[in-house]
Amino acid sequence: MGLPVVSPFFFNTDNMKLKLAIQKSGRLHDDSMRLLKECGIDISNGVNKLKAEATNFPLEVFFLRDDDIPQYVEDGVADIGFVGENVVYEKKKKTTVVEQLGFGKCRLSIAVRKQEQYTDAGFLTGKKIATSYPVIVAAFLQEKGIEAEIHEISGSVEIAPGIGLADAICDLVSSGSTLFMNGLKEAETILRSQAVLIRNSDLSEEQLVTLNRLLFRIQSVKKARNNKYILLNAPNEKLPEIIGLLPGMKSPTVLPLAEPGWSSVHSVLNENDFWDIIEQLKAAGAEGILVVPIEKMIV
Ligand code: ATP
Ligand code: ZN
């Protein structure tokens, strides 16, 4: 009596599948697609469709307006989503923030007319604030104990003071050039935001397995982005000092060079202290320093 032959096609992978909502077009779209690609996930068809299937991972991607993503994830129409924290906090839907994604960085700031004297949030007392973020602004005012009028508008918030609609605005800022062109100045940042992964609260055990696989890949990509691989040559007598400057994942790799008395040192450096350490390495006698990007970092 032989064992039954089970074809892999009998395994139902549908129950492992996650539906991911990302922005259809706009500032988060390209970075969202790039992150999936760097996670080794191939998306089959174009973004002109409403949805696309991953060919090598149990994932289906929905392309939506960013404002709708929290609602879809709360309802379970999508299981997970990539969306700005600003939208998550404004919409206040029942979803959980699982991971910061490291792109879509911006700040939500109060701005006032250039000539205005803004020393603190007390300036806003009794004033009219135009914004597309009434929930976040109301929470900010309440925390500060300030009474002000919030005027909700959906677009072109920055023109409101110029046309006499408001005394101040609260809007997303990256460089500040839009504010400047409208005779405004940034007065106070009330939220720093970046894209995050949110999830629905009732995922199945199987879907959680898929989510953990995805998170593991995202974390590896993020780590790799923040780190550089560094190679340098050093005279052997300088090695202790140079090795002392390098953090490395364990400790740096040291290999002898063909030239007697010299070694090659390899290590990994975090972007944040990168230039500081490079300068110190040069001063300590390192030569031929090479810095290369890391594609994935599995730790
Ligand atoms: P949609 O059509 O999807 O509703 P949108 O016009 O609301 O798009 P975008 O301007 O594409 O949205 O911005 C999407 C998200 O990108 C913002 O909610 C925010 O999280 C992030 N973002 C990053 N930098 C900026 C910026 N400088 N200005 C505005 N949003 C930014
Ligand atoms: Zn939007």
Side-chain angles (χ1 to χ4, degrees):
M1 210 173 64
L3 291 168
V5 179
V6 181
S7 152
F9 297 109
F10 285 154
F11 290 120
N12 183 2
T13 54
D14 266 6
N15 59 356
M16 308 192 72
K17 196 191 276 182
L18 284 177
K19 289 171 283 179
L20 163 68
I22 68 170
Q23 193 186 24
K24 183 174 171 60
S25 63
R27 291 176 199 263
L28 300 180
H29 174 82
D30 289 352
D31 285 334
S32 300
M33 292 298 282
R34 189 164 62 113
L35 178 59
L36 291 176
K37 188 159 188 268
E38 288 176 352
C39 288
I41 298 172
D42 291 326
I43 308 299
S44 62
N45 47 5
V47 294
N48 292 326
K49 305 232 171 79
L50 172 65
K51 56 182 185 172
E53 195 83 30
T55 52
N56 56 358
F57 197 81
L59 192 78
E60 192 174 10
V61 183
F62 285 66
F63 303 105
L64 301 166
R65 282 201 60 200
D66 68 339
D67 313 64
D68 298 333
I69 292 175
Q71 181 73 62
Y72 278 111
V73 172
E74 178 183 299
D75 294 344
V77 176
D79 303 303
I80 57 174
F82 293 170
V83 66
E85 284 169 306
N86 53 311
V87 174
V88 175
Y89 299 143
E90 181 60 30
K91 300 293 173 188
K92 280 181 127 176
K93 300 294 172 190
K94 284 193 214 73
T95 63
T96 310
V97 173
V98 182
E99 180 81 19
Q100 295 190 315
L101 299 176
F103 60 83
K105 289 189 178 161
C106 56
R107 50 192 193 274
L108 186 63
S109 293
I110 304 276
V112 297
R113 292 185 191 91
K114 242 183 286 188
Q115 65 276 13
E116 223 88 68
Q117 289 281 334
Y118 184 106
T119 43
D120 59 41
F123 171 90
L124 299 167
T125 304
K127 300 249 164 61
K128 208 174 194 186
I129 309 165
T131 185
S132 312
Y133 294 88
V135 172
I136 297 175
V137 174
F140 170 76
L141 293 175
Q142 196 187 1
E143 189 200 303
K144 299 275 177 187
I146 289 165
E147 300 261 353
E149 188 185 335
I150 297 171
H151 189 84
E152 183 179 354
I153 44 179
S154 56
S156 305
V157 174
E158 64 284 349
I159 65 166
I163 59 172
L165 194 66
D167 311 296
I169 66 163
C170 182
D171 203 7
L172 292 176
V173 182
S174 49
S175 69
S177 58
T178 310
L179 295 180
F180 185 79
M181 284 187 306
N182 286 281
L184 302 174
K185 64 177 180 191
E186 191 172 358
E188 181 163 3
T189 297
I190 70 172
L191 175 73
R192 287 187 188 281
S193 174
Q194 63 175 292
V196 288
L197 187 157
I198 55 169
R199 55 162 280 201
N200 172 277
S201 40
D202 313 311
L203 299 185
S204 69
E205 287 294 317
E206 291 84 354
Q207 287 179 313
L208 287 175
V209 170
T210 305
L211 178 58
N212 282 331
R213 284 178 68 201
L214 178 63
L215 281 173
F216 177 73
R217 294 186 187 196
I218 290 175
Q219 284 158 3
S220 303
V221 170
K222 273 170 61 185
K223 278 217 185 70
R225 274 188 201 157
N226 290 335
N227 287 277
K228 300 275 181 263
Y229 195 76
I230 175 168
L231 306 95
L232 59 87
N233 297 331
N236 287 345
E237 68 272 15
K238 304 279 181 153
L239 283 177
E241 188 183 349
I242 285 175
I243 289 169
L245 292 168
L246 293 168
M249 280 221 263
K250 283 266 186 324
S251 61
T253 307
V254 181
L255 302 164
L257 287 184
E259 190 176 328
W262 283 74
S263 297
S264 167
V265 181
H266 301 194
S267 188
V268 171
L269 277 189
N270 190 287
E271 197 131 63
N272 295 332
D273 17 70
F274 181 76
W275 286 112
D276 278 350
I277 295 185
I278 296 283
E279 282 161 15
Q280 294 175 48
L281 287 169
K282 275 185 70 185
E287 290 180 15
I289 302 176
L290 282 181
V291 178
V292 286
I294 300 170
E295 193 178 295
K296 305 282 185 303
M297 201 161 144
I298 317 295
V299 285

